[in-house]
Structure formats: C-alpha cells, structure tokens
Amino acid sequence: MPNKKFLLLIVVILIIGACSNKKVNKPDSKEMLASALHNKIFSEVGLLLTQIRVTENTHNLIDLFLDIHSENLWVIDQKVEYIKQFLPNMRKTHQAILNKIMIWLYVNQVYRHEVSPPIRIIQREELFLEPSKVDFRKCPNIDANCAHEVRKKLLPMIDDEELTLMLKRMALKDPCVNSSTQLQGQTIANRCLNKSKGHLKIILLALPRFSVGQWLQVISAEN
C-alpha cells in the first residue's frame, strides 16, 4: 500500500513539473494588429503600431485606412495622391488594398459631383421632394457637369458600366435623390432633411474592408 501511495505521489509531481515547463505562447503582435485592422479596433491599432516595425508603405496604407473612416474626402484624396507615387514599387498585396480604397474614394467623388443634388424640397400643404433629374449615363462631352478628371482616374480600375451601376445603387439608398418623375411626400422629404442635417446616417457605399490574411501579408512585407 505505501508503495502505491509513493508511486501516485511521483506521478503527481511529474505531471505538475510537465505543466510548469510548458511554454506560454504569447500572442503574435503582427497577428494582433492584422486582427485589429480587420475588426476596426482602432485603439488597439495605434498601440500595436508603436510596438511593431513596419515599412513606410505599410505604415502609409494603415494610416490611410484609418482616415477613410472619417469620410473626409478631401483629406483622403490628399493622402492617396501622395501614396500613389509609390504604387509601382509596392507589393501586390499593398497595391490591392490601395486600389480598393481609391475606387471607394473616386466613386464617392463622382457621386457628390454628378448625382448628389442640392436639396429639392418644396412646401405646400406638406413637404415634398422634387424629382432630381439625374442622368447616370457617361458624360456626353467636356462641357457637361461631370467629374471628368476623377472618371479618368477610375477608368483603369473599373469600366463605365460598372461605375454607372454603382452610382445607381448609391442613389437608391440616398433619401435626397428622387429618381421618379413625381413629387415624393412628407415621409421621404423628412428623411432627406434629417440626412442633410446630420441626424440620419446613410451609408451609400460601404467602406473597403480587408481580411486578417491580407493585413498580415501587408504587415509582414519587407518593402
């Protein structure tokens, strides 16, 4: 009997020793950063960037990705123009992320210039939203009210048919666009007013999003 207790004690000691010798795998900082970017946990992104050395191209892309969530198109456009000069020397993973962000930016710019109208609300016995008279076709000539320069930037990335389809989808979500030929009533007019005053948040074109794997490739790049 004492021998059995002694053997049991030895087994317990060996198990405890084995457990204590196991290495605790710390989370990989690059994987954590990739996950934070994918899940848009921006407080973690800022902290992790102080702990990880990344290339200038990678840092610029991450900085740009954070900025697009402000939806300040002017600021985003300035940063895109700066980063574009490095595009030929970027890895394909970097180029893919930059291209998606540029498409998002340029389509929004075209929409604001060509489609998003001034508020066309009239008041009679109630509020009405007037027809917007939007023409989604390709700009017919240089004198038309079109975002010609932005369309040129988009042309290598998407064709005119795809752009037109994207603009139409955005207009369908926009409460200030009345694509019909008739007045729209009080409910729609109020939604337009609320959007214009900032009380109603409408996402016309979803922000670009990238997988953990894509971000990990970008963060791990050596140039």
Side-chain angles (χ1 to χ4, degrees):
M1 193 73 175
N3 288 337
K4 287 184 178 181
K5 289 183 178 180
F6 178 74
L7 288 173
L8 181 60
L9 179 61
I10 294 297
V11 171
V12 171
I13 292 172
L14 289 172
I15 292 172
I16 293 173
C19 291
S20 63
N21 288 331
K22 282 186 177 179
K23 291 183 179 179
V24 177
N25 293 323
K26 293 183 179 179
D28 182 82
S29 296
K30 290 183 178 180
E31 290 180 359
M32 291 173 63
L33 178 56
S35 179
L37 285 163
H38 171 69
N39 293 303
K40 302 180 183 179
I41 309 174
F42 298 140
S43 57
E44 287 188 16
V45 171
L47 180 63
L48 288 164
L49 274 177
T50 64
Q51 304 170 13
I52 303 171
R53 291 187 64 181
V54 297
T55 67
E56 184 177 355
N57 282 337
T58 295
H59 198 284
N60 286 339
L61 274 183
I62 291 174
D63 189 44
L64 177 62
F65 180 71
L66 299 181
D67 274 337
I68 65 173
H69 294 82
S70 71
E71 298 191 46
N72 185 328
L73 298 189
W74 186 86
V75 171
I76 299 165
D77 185 68
Q78 297 302 303
K79 290 201 172 184
V80 164
E81 288 303 307
Y82 171 74
I83 296 172
K84 273 171 64 177
Q85 64 183 310
F86 307 111
L87 188 60
N89 299 320
M90 284 184 183
R91 288 176 172 267
K92 287 185 178 180
T93 49
H94 290 68
Q95 291 176 349
I97 285 179
L98 181 58
N99 281 342
K100 281 194 175 181
I101 291 176
M102 287 194 296
I103 290 171
W104 177 87
L105 168 66
Y106 296 148
V107 171
N108 268 295
Q109 288 178 331
V110 172
Y111 185 87
R112 288 194 181 184
H113 187 82
E114 298 181 10
V115 181
S116 184
I119 298 177
R120 298 172 62 88
I121 291 178
I122 59 174
Q123 185 167 10
R124 293 176 182 171
E125 65 277 8
E126 64 179 41
L127 295 179
F128 290 94
L129 181 67
E130 291 186 298
S132 299
K133 300 177 182 178
V134 177
D135 185 356
F136 294 99
R137 293 173 300 177
K138 183 181 177 182
C139 303
N141 54 63
I142 197 69
D143 297 322
N145 183 33
C146 297
H148 295 287
E149 293 304 314
V150 182
R151 282 177 172 267
K152 286 180 185 176
K153 294 176 183 178
L154 268 172
L155 193 57
M157 294 178 278
I158 59 173
D159 59 29
D160 290 321
E161 186 177 345
E162 188 176 357
L163 173 58
T164 300
L165 184 60
M166 292 175 76
L167 295 175
K168 285 181 177 180
R169 287 173 177 169
M170 292 169 73
L172 286 173
K173 298 176 185 176
D174 193 339
C176 289
V177 174
N178 177 4
S179 299
S180 73
T181 58
Q182 305 295 323
L183 292 174
Q184 299 288 342
Q186 179 86 34
T187 301
I188 294 175
N190 278 336
R191 288 189 77 235
C192 175
L193 283 176
N194 285 331
K195 179 206 168 191
S196 301
K197 292 176 181 178
H199 301 321
L200 179 64
K201 176 68 174 178
I202 302 290
I203 300 174
L204 301 182
L205 183 63
L207 289 166
R209 189 170 184 176
F210 308 98
S211 70
V212 174
Q214 284 176 293
W215 279 122
L216 194 55
Q217 288 183 55
V218 167
I219 295 163
S220 303
E222 296 180 356
N223 62 9

